[in-house]
Amino acid sequence: MKTIHHTQELVVIGGGLAGLCAAVTAARHGIRTALVHDRPVLGGNASIEIRVPPVGATQCNFAYSRETGLIEELFLNNLHHNPTWCPEGWNLELENLVRNEPDLDLFLNNAVCEVAMNAGNDRVQSTKSYCSMEETWHVFEALYFADCSGDGVVGSLSGATFRMGVEARSEFNEPMCAEEPSNETMGMSIQLRARDAGRPIPFVKPKWVDLELTKDDFGPYRPVNEHFFPDTGGFWWLEWGGALDTIHDTMKIKDEVQRITLAVWDYLKNR
């Protein structure tokens, strides 16, 4: 197995929009930076893999609710280079933003699995990631590290304190919090999208999907037919797994959300 050592000033772990913006901003200030991402594409939740657009408050009725800075730059470049808003074009625009920076090195398909601390055990000295596509370990040494991984992998491996779930109302005097703490999270989702093929297309529910849903299963707050808008052809709010460990139980949650999503499509398509 091959091992490559890299020396940088800053290493950003995670290529979602937070990590991407951190890495590009640092590089534009002359800081030699590496962006290490465990997926083949950039963008995190806004990537071609998940496709939740970074629109934020622009969906509200506020005149100036709009992301600026690098997000605005990405949007403008995407409108210029990708006027049809093709997901693949958006993915290319994210990669262009990174690869066009001379002081920024991009490492895709690199999953961080080890962290080495300094002698005083108070600072991250290096991270070690594995790229399965090239069967190579990458060791990154740097003065600074930014954990933008989403799951906090570097912070967790370094021994930093962390919390998961919902804090008690009294801890920070938050009136909308629950009175007692819990490990509950939002869970996970899979985006369901469809397009009009212009002719009837059959769908046969897989045998392993043993759910048969009816209108009553959706309740009064999210009627599935009304939310399946013709202009967008989908939604991604089918969330499940909030009572489980959304890191270590990811595959279990994914399998169940996939089962639910296929059952929903069976209901929409066939009944």
Side-chain angles (χ1 to χ4, degrees):
M1 197 73 71
K2 186 177 181 181
T3 300
I4 301 177
H5 291 263
H6 310 270
T7 301
Q8 304 278 352
E9 293 179 84
L10 170 66
V11 175
V12 179
I13 309 298
L17 292 184
L20 183 146
C21 290
V24 170
T25 300
R28 289 182 178 180
H29 281 79
I31 299 171
R32 191 66 197 174
T33 304
L35 178 58
V36 182
H37 189 45
D38 64 356
R39 303 300 304 162
V41 294
L42 295 167
N45 283 337
S47 72
I48 189 176
E49 293 182 313
I50 303 179
R51 304 188 187 190
V52 177
V55 292
T58 59
Q59 297 299 295
C60 302
N61 296 319
F62 302 122
Y64 302 105
S65 297
R66 186 185 180 109
E67 294 283 355
T68 57
L70 284 177
I71 301 299
E72 175 76 352
E73 180 179 330
L74 277 167
F75 277 169
L76 293 176
N77 287 340
N78 190 56
L79 284 171
H80 179 64
H81 298 133
N82 181 31
T84 62
W85 282 84
C86 170
E88 288 79 8
W90 169 250
N91 176 70
L92 180 60
E93 205 55 55
L94 294 171
E95 193 163 330
N96 287 344
L97 186 73
V98 172
R99 294 197 184 277
N100 287 336
E101 294 299 325
D103 284 327
L104 179 55
D105 296 322
L106 177 61
F107 297 86
L108 295 173
N109 295 298
N110 267 261
V112 172
C113 48
E114 290 184 25
V115 170
M117 305 296 290
N118 66 349
N121 202 39
D122 59 0
R123 185 176 68 84
V124 174
Q125 183 170 298
S126 67
T127 61
K128 188 176 183 180
S129 58
Y130 180 66
C131 179
S132 60
M133 293 187 68
E134 57 185 6
E135 297 189 8
T136 298
W137 292 97
H138 291 269
V139 178
F140 295 91
E141 295 188 13
L143 294 173
Y144 301 98
F145 292 84
D147 188 344
C148 302
S149 64
D151 288 340
V153 60
V154 176
S156 175
L157 290 174
S158 69
T161 57
F162 67 91
R163 73 182 312 150
M164 187 172 181
V166 181
E167 66 271 19
R169 180 185 305 176
S170 59
E171 187 168 354
F172 300 106
N173 195 28
E174 296 175 289
M176 297 182 69
C177 271
E179 291 189 10
E180 299 296 329
S182 72
N183 290 326
E184 184 179 355
T185 66
M186 289 182 65
M188 294 181 177
S189 64
I190 293 178
Q191 187 184 55
L192 169 64
R193 294 190 62 83
R195 63 183 177 86
D196 187 350
R199 58 187 176 90
I201 301 293
F203 173 74
V204 179
K205 186 177 66 172
K207 291 182 179 180
W208 56 270
V209 178
D210 56 355
L211 293 175
E212 186 162 305
L213 303 177
T214 68
K215 183 178 180 180
D216 295 336
D217 291 312
F218 298 96
Y221 302 108
R222 283 247 168 108
V224 68
N225 290 338
E226 293 180 16
H227 280 264
F228 202 77
F229 300 114
D231 56 339
T232 57
F235 45 69
W236 51 268
W237 46 259
L238 295 167
E239 295 169 342
W240 187 86
L244 301 178
D245 183 338
T246 51
I247 296 177
H248 299 102
D249 291 329
T250 290
M251 294 308 299
K252 179 179 180 180
I253 296 171
K254 189 278 298 180
D255 288 347
E256 181 63 14
V257 176
Q258 184 179 8
R259 190 174 75 103
I260 294 170
T261 302
L262 289 171
V264 168
W265 179 240
D266 173 61
Y267 166 72
L268 285 169
K269 181 73 175 174
N270 297 325
R271 291 190 303 286

